[in-house]
């Protein structure tokens, strides 16, 4: 009995030793076979994704479509901005003069809306600040008006200025002189080059207070348009402005009767020709 057990244990020990030797041979001594290359589908996923694989050695980029779309959108924005720049440049090249009108009398609205045919934004007539712009030939006009337009608190965007003032009574004259002094300061600091004045004059034709500001008298105002009669009108640098009481006619409805006649176009032509020939050229 004991002999049988010994033989069994010896057989197990021998089998274990043989198995250990085979395992060591397999792991350390047996030559390995080269790994088979993976198929195209194994490397890049299922068959459904093969349409997105780049050709050649390029790798598939899942964001490639988004990048192309963004690049195309950037190119379109660049071209649109380039067109705007070219249009603005051509517009500036076509415009030889830039004139800014400061409307500080009611006649300024008549000048801008009915003679120039311009529009104002906002359209609310009681707005604190209103402005507009338009081209007249090669001259670009901008217009500012409203209680909030005060000296030193708006942008001076032109070297040539038309100042519309009220000189009917002493209090209006005092306010008008403040604007004249402001314009004179801009002239002295070379921020503007020329000043013309459209003046709502005194009904008794007492407008002598404006004389010291005229260039012919040592001042800086190159051109003066004045309503009502004025003894110093010479049709050279001092002109009588027709329809000077247009704001009154507006209230009574009489202005509507003359809006379609030739007076508007003749006044506009007269003003533009005077500005260009007497001041800005």
């Amino acid at each position: 009995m004991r002999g049988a057990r010994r033989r069994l244990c010896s057989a197990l020990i021998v089998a274990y030793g043989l198995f250990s030797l085979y395992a060591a041979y397999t792991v350390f001594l047996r030559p390995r076979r080269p790994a088979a290359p993976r198929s195209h589908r194994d490397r890049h996923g299922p068959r459904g994704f093969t349409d997105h694989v780049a050709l050649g050695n390029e790798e598939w980029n899942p964001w490639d479509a988004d990048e192309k779309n963004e690049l195309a959108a950037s190119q379109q924005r660049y071209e649109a901005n380039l067109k705007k720049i070219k249009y603005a440049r051509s517009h500036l090249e076509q415009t030889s003069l830039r004139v800014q009108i400061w409307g500080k009398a009611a006649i300024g609205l008549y000048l801008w809306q009915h003679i120039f045919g311009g529009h104002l934004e906002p359209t609310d007539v009681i707005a604190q600040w209103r402005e507009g712009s338009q081209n007249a030939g090669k001259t670009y006009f901008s217009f500012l008006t409203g209680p909030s337009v005060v000296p030193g608190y708006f942008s001076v965007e032109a070297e040539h200025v038309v100042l519309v003032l009220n000189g009917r009574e002493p209090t209006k004259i005092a306010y008008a002189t403040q604007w004249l002094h402001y314009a004179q300061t801009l002239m002295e600091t070379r921020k503007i080059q020329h000043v013309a004045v459209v003046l709502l004059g005194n009904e008794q034709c007492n407008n002598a207070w404006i004389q010291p500001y005229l260039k012919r008298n040592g001042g800086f105002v190159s051109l003066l348009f004045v309503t009502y009669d004025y003894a110093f009108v010479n049709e050279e640098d001092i002109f009588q402005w027709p329809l000077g009481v247009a704001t009154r006619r507006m209230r009574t409805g009489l202005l509507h009767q003359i809006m379609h006649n030739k007076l508007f176009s003749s006044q506009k032509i007269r003003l533009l020709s005077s500005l260009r020939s007497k001041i800005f050229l």
Side-chain angles (χ1 to χ4, degrees), residues 67-195:
E67 291 177 354
K68 290 182 178 179
N69 292 336
E70 180 63 25
L71 182 61
S74 299
Q75 182 67 21
Q76 291 178 355
R77 289 194 296 267
Y78 170 76
E79 293 177 353
N81 291 333
L82 187 61
K83 288 181 180 178
K84 291 180 180 179
I85 293 173
K86 289 182 178 179
Y87 175 79
R89 183 178 298 174
S90 63
H91 177 72
L92 290 175
E93 290 175 353
Q94 294 174 1
T95 303
S96 59
L97 290 177
R98 295 178 65 87
V99 180
Q100 194 171 37
I101 304 174
W102 304 343
K104 299 310 299 178
I107 196 174
L109 295 175
Y110 165 76
L111 168 67
W112 181 253
Q113 293 179 314
H114 299 287
I115 294 181
F116 278 85
H119 300 282
L120 290 175
E121 293 293 338
T123 56
D124 187 1
V125 296
I126 62 174
Q128 295 295 301
W129 180 291
R130 304 179 74 191
E131 59 185 313
S133 62
Q134 68 166 232
N135 287 321
K138 293 185 177 182
T139 304
Y140 175 80
F141 287 92
S142 59
F143 180 81
L144 296 175
T145 190
S148 294
V149 180
V150 295
Y153 289 90
F154 64 94
S155 176
V156 180
E157 299 178 349
E159 295 181 343
H160 311 297
V161 170
V162 177
L163 186 53
V164 185
L165 299 174
N166 189 339
R168 294 187 59 193
E169 56 189 40
T171 56
K172 300 296 184 180
I173 293 174
Y175 183 67
T177 55
Q178 294 179 15
W179 278 94
L180 288 169
H181 292 160
Y182 174 63
Q184 185 175 18
T185 301
L186 295 178
M187 287 281 292
E188 293 173 351
T189 56
R190 301 184 182 277
K191 293 184 178 179
I192 59 177
Q193 294 182 0
H194 300 99
V195 175

Side-chain angles (χ1 to χ4, degrees), residues 12-275:
L12 291 174
I13 291 172
V14 171
Y16 177 77
L18 293 174
F19 178 77
S20 299
L21 292 174
Y22 178 76
Y25 170 76
T26 302
V27 174
F28 298 104
L29 301 177
R30 187 176 181 180
R32 299 179 180 179
R33 295 180 181 179
R38 291 184 299 174
S39 65
H40 185 75
R41 182 168 54 184
D42 292 338
R43 286 187 287 116
H44 296 288
R47 183 182 299 272
F49 289 91
T50 57
D51 294 338
H52 302 282
V53 178
L55 297 176
N57 295 326
E58 297 180 1
E59 295 183 357
W60 173 59
N61 184 0
W63 298 279
D64 186 59
D66 294 337
E67 291 177 354
K68 290 182 178 179
N69 292 336
E70 180 63 25
L71 182 61
S74 299
Q75 182 67 21
Q76 291 178 355
R77 289 194 296 267
Y78 170 76
E79 293 177 353
N81 291 333
L82 187 61
K83 288 181 180 178
K84 291 180 180 179
I85 293 173
K86 289 182 178 179
Y87 175 79
R89 183 178 298 174
S90 63
H91 177 72
L92 290 175
E93 290 175 353
Q94 294 174 1
T95 303
S96 59
L97 290 177
R98 295 178 65 87
V99 180
Q100 194 171 37
I101 304 174
W102 304 343
K104 299 310 299 178
I107 196 174
L109 295 175
Y110 165 76
L111 168 67
W112 181 253
Q113 293 179 314
H114 299 287
I115 294 181
F116 278 85
H119 300 282
L120 290 175
E121 293 293 338
T123 56
D124 187 1
V125 296
I126 62 174
Q128 295 295 301
W129 180 291
R130 304 179 74 191
E131 59 185 313
S133 62
Q134 68 166 232
N135 287 321
K138 293 185 177 182
T139 304
Y140 175 80
F141 287 92
S142 59
F143 180 81
L144 296 175
T145 190
S148 294
V149 180
V150 295
Y153 289 90
F154 64 94
S155 176
V156 180
E157 299 178 349
E159 295 181 343
H160 311 297
V161 170
V162 177
L163 186 53
V164 185
L165 299 174
N166 189 339
R168 294 187 59 193
E169 56 189 40
T171 56
K172 300 296 184 180
I173 293 174
Y175 183 67
T177 55
Q178 294 179 15
W179 278 94
L180 288 169
H181 292 160
Y182 174 63
Q184 185 175 18
T185 301
L186 295 178
M187 287 281 292
E188 293 173 351
T189 56
R190 301 184 182 277
K191 293 184 178 179
I192 59 177
Q193 294 182 0
H194 300 99
V195 175
V197 172
V198 176
L199 178 65
L200 179 60
N202 182 269
E203 293 183 0
Q204 285 73 40
C205 306
N206 298 325
N207 300 304
W209 65 272
I210 194 70
Q211 287 292 326
Y213 297 98
L214 300 182
K215 183 172 288 188
R216 62 167 44 237
N217 297 324
F220 62 94
V221 176
S222 302
L223 187 68
L224 174 65
F225 285 89
V226 60
T227 62
Y228 303 112
D229 194 12
Y230 188 43
F232 296 95
V233 170
N234 55 20
E235 298 298 328
E236 294 180 1
D237 60 348
I238 303 176
F239 299 85
Q240 184 176 1
W241 183 259
L243 297 180
V245 291
T247 51
R248 289 185 176 179
R249 299 183 183 183
M250 227 181 287
R251 298 183 189 133
T252 59
L254 295 178
L255 181 62
H256 179 74
Q257 300 176 13
I258 62 174
M259 283 182 62
H260 301 288
N261 64 24
K262 297 181 180 179
L263 286 176
F264 286 95
S265 58
S266 64
Q267 288 181 69
K268 183 175 180 179
I269 293 172
R270 187 183 187 189
L271 174 64
L272 293 178
S273 61
S274 299
L275 290 176

